[in-house]
Amino acid sequence: MKEHGFSRKRFLLILVIILILLAAGAYGVITTQFVVTDVTVDGNEHYTDEQIREMVLPGGIRNNSLYLSLLYRKKEIKDIPFIESMDVSIVNRNTIHVDVYEKTLAGCVNYLGSYLYFDKDGIVVESSTESYDKVPEIIGLKFNSIVLGSKLDVGDDDIFRQILDLTQSFDKYDLDVSKVYFDSSDNLILYIEEVKVYLGNSDDYTDKLFELKQMETKFSGLKGTLYMQDYTKDSNAIIFKKDEK
C-alpha cells in the first residue's frame, strides 16, 4: 500500500512537472514567435498609420498578436479623440490588421480658441486646438455656451441634419470646403481657398454642389466671390466676381 501510494505521488509530481514544462514552452513560443513586426491599418483619416500603430502597440512583451487580437476586439475607445472603436485581427503570427472606426463628425465651431467638433445630432464630442481636413468650421450658429458631451443649443436641431448632409456632399464631390457660414436667413456661404461661394437657401444643394465641382478648376488660385444662389438646372445663373488687387 505504501509503495502504491508513493508511486501515485511520484506520478502526480511528474505530471505536474510535465504540465509546467509544457506551459513554459507554450509561453515561450507565444512570447517569442507571435511578436508583432508589421501593422496594416484601415479606416483612419484623422490619424496616420504610424500614429495608430503607436496607439495599439503597448511595447515590450505585450506587442503580441494573440494578446492584441483579444484586447482590441471591437474595443470602444474613450481616451483618443475622433476614434469610436478599433478592432485588431491577425494576418499572420507577426502581422496584425487594425480596423479604425472614427466618430461621424458633422462640423466644428471655433469657441474660445478651440475647435469644438460635433456629430450628426449636434453633440459636442471632441475639443482640439487643431482644425482637421474634411470637417468644415461652421460659422453663424448662435449659442450661449458649449459643454463637451452635450448638444449645442442652437434653437433648431434640424440644422445639424443639414450640416451633415452638406459635409457628406463635400466628401462625395471632393470639395475642399474649409468654412460654412449660415446667415440670419439660413443662406449659405462656402469658403473654398480664397473664394466665397454664395449658395443661397435651399433644401437640396445637390445640383449646385455638382456644378460647383465642375467649375472648381476655373477659379482655382483666384480670389473672389462666386454667386450661385439663383442657379438651377434650367437656369445657368452663375456669376464670378474677382477681387480687385
Side-chain angles (χ1 to χ4, degrees):
M1 292 294 293
K2 289 184 178 180
E3 290 183 3
H4 178 72
F6 178 76
S7 298
R8 186 175 180 180
K9 289 181 179 179
R10 183 168 59 180
F11 171 77
L12 291 175
L13 177 61
I14 292 173
L15 181 60
V16 170
I17 293 173
I18 291 174
L19 291 175
I20 292 174
L21 291 175
L22 288 174
Y27 177 78
V29 170
I30 290 173
T31 55
T32 59
Q33 299 301 312
F34 289 82
V35 177
V36 175
T37 57
D38 193 19
V39 179
T40 60
V41 183
D42 190 30
N44 52 315
E45 291 187 5
H46 288 96
Y47 300 97
T48 65
D49 289 1
E50 183 58 31
Q51 286 174 316
I52 297 296
R53 176 188 173 96
E54 292 176 357
M55 294 174 192
V56 171
L57 297 182
I61 198 172
R62 292 181 297 168
N63 282 9
N64 182 282
S65 57
L66 294 175
Y67 168 77
L68 293 172
S69 67
L70 294 174
L71 180 64
Y72 286 94
R73 182 163 293 183
K74 294 184 179 179
K75 180 180 179 182
E76 182 181 0
I77 306 299
K78 296 182 178 180
D79 55 351
I80 301 176
F82 309 112
I83 295 182
E84 190 76 39
S85 64
M86 289 194 286
D87 190 23
V88 170
S89 56
I90 298 176
V91 178
N92 58 55
R93 64 185 183 182
N94 303 120
T95 304
I96 60 173
H97 178 76
V98 184
D99 284 304
V100 180
Y101 300 92
E102 296 191 345
K103 295 175 181 177
T104 302
L105 302 176
C108 71
V109 293
N110 194 325
Y111 184 70
L112 298 179
S114 295
Y115 292 97
L116 283 299
Y117 292 85
F118 57 88
D119 65 12
K120 59 184 178 61
D121 298 315
I123 305 296
V124 180
V125 294
E126 299 295 345
S127 173
S128 175
T129 56
E130 297 182 48
S131 175
Y132 288 90
D133 294 338
K134 297 186 178 181
V135 184
E137 179 184 348
I138 309 301
I139 307 171
L141 298 181
K142 305 298 182 183
F143 49 85
N144 294 323
S145 62
I146 296 180
V147 179
L148 193 63
S150 299
K151 179 179 289 189
L152 276 172
D153 185 10
V154 296
D156 181 11
D157 290 345
D158 189 59
I159 197 169
F160 298 120
R161 177 198 57 78
Q162 185 179 2
I163 291 171
L164 180 63
D165 288 346
L166 282 168
T167 303
Q168 291 175 336
S169 295
F170 298 157
D171 287 339
K172 177 182 178 181
Y173 296 116
D174 193 25
L175 289 167
D176 188 16
V177 178
S178 60
K179 297 179 182 180
V180 178
Y181 175 71
F182 287 82
D183 70 11
S184 57
S185 301
D186 287 340
N187 292 298
L188 288 186
I189 303 175
L190 309 183
Y191 290 79
I192 303 177
E193 295 182 352
E194 296 295 323
V195 175
K196 290 193 298 184
V197 182
Y198 283 78
L199 285 190
N201 191 324
S202 174
D203 292 329
D204 186 3
Y205 294 96
T206 301
D207 291 340
K208 291 182 178 181
L209 293 177
F210 176 80
E211 184 64 23
L212 179 60
K213 180 59 182 178
Q214 311 313 306
M215 301 174 54
E216 190 176 27
T217 56
K218 295 181 180 179
F219 59 77
S220 179
L222 300 178
K223 186 175 182 179
T225 304
L226 186 66
Y227 298 93
M228 298 185 67
Q229 61 266 47
D230 296 323
Y231 171 83
T232 65
K233 273 188 174 182
D234 300 323
S235 174
N236 191 23
I238 299 175
I239 299 173
F240 179 74
K241 184 177 180 181
K242 186 177 178 181
D243 288 355
E244 297 183 6
K245 296 181 180 180

